[in-house]
Every structure is written in structure tokens, then in C-alpha cells.
Amino acid sequence: MDCFAEEGDFMKGQFPESFIWGVATAAHQIEGAWNEDGKGPNIWDAFSHKTGNIHNNENADIACDSYHKTDEDIQLLKSLGVSHYRFSISWARILPDGLLDVVNKSGVEYYNRVIDKLLAVNIQPVATLYHFDLPQALQDKGGWLNSRVIEWFAGYARVCFKLFGDRVRLWLTINEPHEEALNGYGYGNFAPGIKRLDTAPYQVVHNMLRAHASAWHIYDEEFRGSQHGKLSIVTNSQFYEPKSTKPYDVAAADRGLQWYLGWIAHPVVYGDYPEVMKQVVAEKSKKQGIPCRLPSFTAEEKTYIKGTIDFFALNFYSASLTEHIDIPMNSNENWNYITDQEIKTSRREHWIKGAPDWLYCTPFGLRKILNWIKGNYNNPEIIITENGFSCDGEEDLSGDAALEDTHRVNYLKGYLNQALKSVIKDGVQLTGYFLWSLMDNFEWDDGYKFRFGVHHVDFDDPHKHRTPKKSALVFKEIVANKGFI
Ligand code: LGS
């Protein structure tokens, strides 16, 4: 069975004329030049230079070498015909020790070059301020667990708005806060490698939300009037499909979404965490005899955080089946985020599996999550800031074989067709789509094992040669047609 099996008919139709068509990358995953021209080390430099943290002990010292290949990368973007490019700014390339005492001129020049060259070929720059790569100097002061990070981030954001905001009109503050919080401060498989699953992820996200809100207010008060841009925070979630129609499973699936998407989206839309999250964590912490593990916002903070997105930014990859599980309360248990949720996820047999393990080709999930956002957050403007696929075996492929990426082609067509249905049939206000990713790159703790690119990168080649895969050609056609004609 293929990707479209449970999707119903494939729909012909076009997205609106003004639809944003883009591809995305992130600084640490593509730039390389990790210690060149005054860049300071970040947490991923430190983490990947320690043996045992990354698949095959790989690192992003060179990665795709994009720092030296601006022209070539812009050529790839141009050939795709996209209207926008989402990249991220490396905090430590602009402020080597994270603080405002030293601004690295070469780093500023690099992003100026990227932005100016994009605009010269009529591609709009979309900048993410923070994509998992905290300057190591700030980690040494406690990183996202130290609430002073709010002022550090605010300072950095203001510098970026000043330097680049005359040309960047779409800003994303923090990419997937809870991905870094859970993996970096909970499981420890991401930088900075802290394993405190019970409390640290909640605290990290709390500080990230407050940091995001400061950046939004700075933009709103000091820059919006002259720069006329828009700003958001990047959420992500799987779609939680109930495993059965039993009320227990239906409630569990909704809880999954409230918890995963709502953890970020609820505060920035409504000013506080979802009710179910607050209740459950409070109850469980009480039984453990400890203070509530989920921090709370003061009344003032709630007002400050509420309404701090100008559009809803969503990264979406995959769906999962969800059922309720009762977790026996055991005082010896290390109670954590996952057990708080009281859900168990699985997959349908026929879903085509990608790699990593969490990734399946489930286009229906995109339409459903877009509708869930529409229903729960007052039909906001939504931009998909990431969506893409990788699967087993691609890391071993080279030459022409790597370019026959049929699974990625099916995935993209399937997901974009569901996105189209959400716009035309459901009235979802989806205004843009960014494919992850422009090219194969450094996939965090998985190193170069998983390839999400529509351009193949030969990492063994000192020049990091890029070749379009079939998916690049198919995406180009969809972009040119503004959908499916
Ligand atoms: O490369 C990353 C892509 C690949 O898949 C990118 O840097 C991130 O922004 C983003 O996290 N990316 C990504 N995410 C999928 C995470 C899904 C987690 C679902 C876990 C289910 C068990």
C-alpha cells in the first residue's frame, strides 16, 4: 500500500497566488567553518567533539561547507524556483561568547552576503534566530536553565533585528523548544547532554517561552513600525491519531496534542500552559510529595506572553496511533514528562517507514493537525516551517541511485496534496510551506546517517558536491504549478 492509501482521492488544484514556497536549513547543520573568522564555539561543537555522543563520532566542523558556498547554494534555491529561504543565524558567529561585548564583524558580513544575494535573485530571506546552537560560553553559565538566558536572548535578538531587519521580513525566534528541552536536558542525546528528564525540560521550555516573548515585544515596540515584518516561534508535533474510537483513546490523542503542541502554542496564544498539562503535573507532583514540576507563569508574565505570535509556525513530519495507558503511581519511579502524558503511541502496519524510527509517511496527519490548530487556536494564519522525509539505506547510496528517491517524492506529493485540501476544502489559512531540507546535512546526534535533502551532498568529497535528487525536480514542478494541475 502506498502513501495515498488512506488519503482518499488525489486532488487537483492550486494554492493561492501569494503562497510562500520555500526550503529550510539551519546554521549548525550546513555551515561548517566552526571556528573560522571569529565564530565562538557552541554547545553542538562541544558535544560532538566528545567521543560517543554522535553517530560514528561525526561532527559539523565542515558539514555542507555552506559558509564558503553561498553562491552555489543560492543557485540551488534559484533552480528550485522557491520564493523564500529559511536559514538560521548562528548566535556564536554573531556574538562569539553569546553576550553583547563583542560583535563579530565577519559573522555579520556573512549573513549580510547571504541576505543580499538572496534578494538579488528575488528570494525572500526568512531567519531563525535560534536553532539548537547555544554559544558554549552561555552554557557554561547554565544555558537555558539559567533564567538570565531571557536577557541574553533578548540582547542577541535586538542585534539581529538592527543588523538584518531592514531586509528580513519573516523572523522565527526559537526552533522547536521542546525538542531541545527533552533531548538536550532530558534524555541527554542532544547537546548539552544533560539527563534530568523529570524537571529540566519543563524549566528549559519555560525560559524559552519567556525569551521568545521578550524578542517579540522588542520587535513589536522598536522595529515593527519601520521594518513591517512578522515574527513567530516554531512549534512541532506529530499528529496523534486515536488508535480506536473508544473515548479513552480519543481523549488520549487529544491529550497528546495539547501536551506536545499546546506546551508551546497555548502560552503564546492564550498566555498559559494547557489546562490538562497543569492539572496532571500538579496532581502527580503532589503524590510524589514534591513541588509542582511544571513551573507557572505569574499574572504579569501571562499577559506578557499571550499573543506573541504573528502567525502559527509548524514543523510537521509524521503521525502516530495513540492509546491511553494507566501508569501505576509508584513513589520510587522517576516520574517524567512521558509518564505524565499517560499515552502510548504505535503505528499502522502499512504506513511506509522512514528513518529515524519516529518517521512514517502519513500525509493524512498533516491535514488533521492543520485542522486541529484551526479549531484550537482561532483559525490562525499558519506557515509550515518544516516538512520532509528520510529513509533507510539512503546513507549508503551514491551516484545515480541516491537520486531515485521515490519515497521522498511520494511523501512530498502526499503531504502537499493534503495541505491543498486543508486550504481549499477546510478553509485552513495556510499561507506557506518550507520543505526540510534544501540539502542533506548534519542530522544532530545521528550525524550524517539520515539524509533529508532534496539535493544529495557527497560528504566524502572535499568540495561537498551537491546533486539534485528526483524530489528536487518534482518539488520544482509543484512550485512552478503552484500546486497540482
Ligand atoms: O534536521 C531536523 C529535522 C529532521 O526531523 C531539524 O533541525 C529540526 O528542526 C527538526 O526537529 N527535524 C526533524 N524533526 C522531527 C522530530 C519529530 C519528533 C517526533 C518524535 C516521535 C517519537
Side-chain angles (χ1 to χ4, degrees), residues 180-483:
E180 177 169 354
L182 286 166
N183 294 317
Y185 291 79
Y187 301 112
N189 59 312
F190 268 29
I194 293 169
K195 293 183 183 160
R196 281 179 42 199
L197 196 54
D198 53 348
T199 53
Y202 286 132
Q203 290 166 2
V204 164
V205 168
H206 201 66
N207 286 335
M208 286 180 165
L209 286 165
R210 296 191 291 172
H212 156 80
S214 328
W216 187 89
H217 281 284
I218 288 172
Y219 190 77
D220 198 49
E221 284 151 29
E222 302 172 26
F223 298 94
R224 198 192 294 277
S226 56
Q227 299 185 348
H228 312 291
K230 293 205 266 191
L231 182 143
S232 193
I233 187 169
V234 181
T235 66
N236 75 301
S237 183
Q238 17 176 350
F239 180 73
Y240 293 81
E241 171 81 352
K243 186 166 184 183
S244 75
T245 51
K246 287 188 212 125
Y248 249 45
D249 288 344
V250 173
D254 193 65
R255 198 161 60 242
L257 283 162
Q258 295 276 356
W259 214 287
Y260 216 82
L261 199 60
W263 189 1
I264 311 303
H266 243 68
V268 295
V269 174
Y270 298 120
D272 203 358
Y273 296 115
E275 259 336 287
V276 64
M277 196 170 174
K278 288 192 294 180
Q279 264 171 24
V280 172
V281 186
E283 193 185 300
K284 291 187 191 291
S285 305
K286 200 169 158 201
K287 282 192 195 156
Q288 288 173 282
I290 57 168
C292 183
R293 287 179 283 102
L294 181 69
S296 50
F297 296 114
T298 63
E300 205 181 320
E301 282 173 339
K302 285 181 192 168
T303 316
Y304 190 71
I305 292 172
K306 183 178 171 172
T308 54
I309 53 169
D310 302 319
F311 58 93
F312 197 108
L314 173 75
N315 289 357
F316 180 77
Y317 287 86
S318 191
S320 64
L321 290 182
T322 313
E323 62 195 303
H324 174 85
I325 41 162
D326 277 321
I327 298 170
M329 195 68 209
N330 168 353
S331 57
N332 295 324
E333 195 148 2
N334 179 15
W335 213 261
N336 65 42
Y337 165 80
I338 299 300
T339 43
D340 280 338
Q341 261 185 312
E342 295 190 319
I343 63 174
K344 189 176 151 215
T345 56
S346 56
R347 322 283 159 173
R348 285 209 199 286
E349 275 295 299
H350 67 264
W351 289 352
I352 287 178
K353 196 185 162 311
D357 279 347
W358 48 262
L359 183 55
Y360 286 79
C361 184
T362 51
F364 74 92
L366 179 57
R367 182 171 177 193
K368 288 196 175 181
I369 201 167
L370 290 170
N371 274 286
W372 195 88
I373 293 168
K374 178 184 176 211
N376 281 266
Y377 300 112
N378 312 322
N379 195 9
E381 175 187 354
I382 306 174
I383 297 179
I384 295 168
T385 35
E386 281 180 34
N387 175 239
F389 195 65
S390 97
C391 58
D392 268 335
E394 283 207 321
E395 69 276 21
D396 303 322
L397 297 178
S398 57
D400 290 348
L403 312 180
E404 284 303 313
D405 57 338
T406 316
H407 284 321
R408 184 172 296 98
V409 165
N410 286 339
Y411 179 102
L412 293 175
K413 281 189 186 164
Y415 279 63
L416 273 162
N417 204 252
Q418 293 297 320
L420 179 69
K421 285 182 187 168
S422 80
V423 173
I424 295 189
K425 297 191 172 185
D426 311 331
V428 167
Q429 297 199 62
L430 179 69
T431 58
Y433 174 94
F434 289 83
L435 187 161
W436 185 271
S437 179
L438 172 63
M439 61 193 144
D440 298 336
N441 57 49
F442 177 73
E443 186 51 37
W444 308 114
D445 57 328
D446 291 316
Y448 297 97
K449 186 171 168 199
F450 301 123
R451 294 175 170 267
F452 278 87
V454 291
H455 290 94
H456 176 270
V457 176
D458 183 352
F459 291 107
D460 297 330
D461 166 21
H463 302 293
K464 311 293 170 197
H465 184 66
R466 291 105 156 98
T467 318
K469 301 181 190 176
K470 190 169 173 198
S471 53
L473 308 178
V474 169
F475 185 60
K476 177 183 178 149
E477 196 181 319
I478 297 173
V479 172
N481 291 339
K482 300 188 186 308

Side-chain angles (χ1 to χ4, degrees), residues 1-8 241 348 350-351 364:
M1 223 183 285
D2 69 17
C3 258
F4 307 115
E6 49 193 309
E7 317 304 332
E241 171 81 352
R348 285 209 199 286
H350 67 264
W351 289 352
F364 74 92

Side-chain angles (χ1 to χ4, degrees), residues 2-124:
D2 69 17
C3 258
F4 307 115
E6 49 193 309
E7 317 304 332
D9 295 339
F10 199 81
M11 181 181 166
K12 294 220 164 159
Q14 290 178 300
F15 288 88
E17 198 53 40
S18 58
F19 197 75
I20 289 171
W21 292 97
V23 287
T25 60
H28 192 78
Q29 294 179 272
I30 64 161
E31 283 178 8
W34 78 282
N35 60 358
E36 275 181 53
D37 293 348
K39 174 182 167 291
N42 66 41
I43 54 173
W44 276 93
D45 295 319
F47 189 69
S48 52
H49 290 159
K50 272 195 212 114
T51 310
N53 283 335
I54 312 286
H55 173 72
N56 282 342
N57 290 318
E58 288 158 347
N59 59 52
D61 291 2
I62 303 178
C64 308
D65 202 23
S66 284
Y67 185 74
H68 298 115
K69 293 176 140 335
T70 309
D71 288 332
E72 205 175 310
D73 287 351
I74 288 179
Q75 212 36 54
L76 301 183
L77 291 160
K78 216 178 130 189
S79 75
L80 287 174
V82 292
S83 60
H84 289 64
Y85 175 47
R86 175 185 173 215
F87 61 95
S88 83
I89 297 174
S90 155
W91 188 338
R93 204 179 280 293
I94 300 289
L95 306 176
D97 63 2
L99 302 173
L100 300 174
D101 46 356
V102 182
V103 178
N104 178 29
K105 206 165 148 260
S106 309
V108 175
E109 281 166 6
Y110 168 63
Y111 294 109
N112 272 334
R113 264 199 315 278
V114 171
I115 293 168
D116 290 342
K117 288 186 175 198
L118 284 169
L119 289 170
V121 293
N122 204 19
I123 296 173
Q124 302 306 310

Side-chain angles (χ1 to χ4, degrees), residues 154-166:
Y156 163 60
R158 182 183 279 109
V159 165
C160 290
F161 299 149
K162 258 191 209 153
L163 290 168
F164 311 120
D166 55 335

